[in-house]
Amino acid sequence: MKTPLRAIALALSLALGSVGAQAQVAPSAAEAAAYTGLHAAAHKGDVAKIQRQVASGAALNATDAYGRTPLHVAAFARQREAIRALAKAGADLNTLENDRYDAVTIASVADDEATLKVLLELGASAKQVTSRYDGTALIAAAHLGHDGVVRQLIAAGAPLDHVNNLHWTAVIESIVLGDGGARHQATLKALIDAGANLQLADRSGQTPLVLAKARGYSTMVSMLEKAGAR
């Protein structure tokens, strides 16, 4: 029989996992087809058109109905050369769209390491507070077990111990919203190796170690115990 704590954690994982999967809204096919100007060029990765639009005075940070700039659109479409062209022209790399996501978090949630690398090299921040949960790109990536993304964000100075409005850190989300598998284990290892605080507890006072034990994630339990977690 599941313990009450484990049952609660599982329910939260399912509920928030479903919400998280829908929180970022990429342009629909209809929206993309209706785009003009820089938004259309960004979606298609048409660098020459971006350059022409910029030369003619197009607004680099103009938004569509969902608050997406051309940079957001390029990030969703994995159009890295378009991102470079927009950045070179002076586009804001850190603008938030209507659901408070930036390009870094968009790439992180998509497990798009190549696009994330370009954004970070261009100077996009890994430190912003994003989403309806007042989280970070690191927390979102840890939730999803995107370990390569997590390592990139850590290297870029992402705040290791940010606490979102659910009172969860990246460490906690890697456990509570993870599946305990290899990629979530690698995510937790990256956070431990980087020096994340393993004693920060959730709103109920449950530490990462207690949460890992409750879910039966023995490998994570071992990792946390070896790192001195209590």
Side-chain angles (χ1 to χ4, degrees):
M1 179 180 294
K2 297 182 181 72
T3 66
L5 176 59
R6 188 176 182 190
I8 291 168
L10 286 169
L12 284 169
S13 177
L14 289 171
L16 290 172
S18 174
V19 169
Q22 299 173 14
Q24 290 192 11
V25 182
S28 67
E31 285 177 311
Y35 279 151
T36 60
L38 276 178
H39 281 85
H43 181 74
K44 296 174 182 176
D46 189 336
V47 172
K49 184 175 181 180
I50 289 172
Q51 293 169 338
R52 290 195 300 272
Q53 288 285 318
V54 169
S56 66
L60 283 166
N61 301 310
T63 57
D64 67 9
Y66 209 80
R68 308 180 197 95
T69 66
L71 187 81
H72 291 132
V73 171
F76 274 121
R78 305 188 179 210
Q79 297 289 5
R80 294 164 202 127
E81 292 310 309
I83 289 172
R84 291 185 191 278
L86 289 164
K88 183 177 179 180
D92 188 338
L93 300 177
N94 298 310
T95 299
L96 306 181
E97 43 86 278
N98 286 1
D99 269 327
R100 297 174 54 207
Y101 287 106
D102 59 350
V104 164
T105 309
I106 288 166
S108 297
V109 168
D111 203 14
D112 184 358
E113 292 188 48
T115 298
L116 177 62
K117 183 173 186 290
V118 169
L119 287 163
L120 295 174
E121 287 175 347
L122 290 169
S125 177
K127 300 178 181 181
Q128 291 205 101
V129 174
T130 67
S131 85
R132 68 190 69 177
Y133 303 113
D134 295 330
T136 61
L138 181 63
I139 289 177
H143 160 192
L144 296 164
H146 294 165
D147 53 305
V149 166
V150 164
R151 286 188 288 272
Q152 279 199 58
L153 293 170
I154 289 171
L160 294 174
D161 300 319
H162 179 85
V163 180
N164 65 16
N165 60 23
L166 299 170
H167 214 80
W168 289 346
T169 62
V171 168
I172 288 175
E173 289 221 3
S174 74
I175 298 164
V176 174
L177 298 183
D179 61 9
R183 294 200 69 189
H184 282 96
Q185 291 169 23
T187 293
L188 179 59
K189 182 179 187 305
L191 292 165
I192 291 172
D193 290 348
N197 188 331
L198 305 179
Q199 314 307 333
L200 292 176
D202 68 10
R203 191 171 280 120
S204 299
Q206 307 298 320
T207 65
L209 180 58
V210 170
L211 293 165
K213 286 180 176 178
R215 290 183 71 94
Y217 292 163
S218 58
T219 300
M220 285 182 156
V221 168
S222 178
M223 292 165 62
L224 289 163
E225 288 178 338
K226 287 178 181 177
R230 300 186 299 277

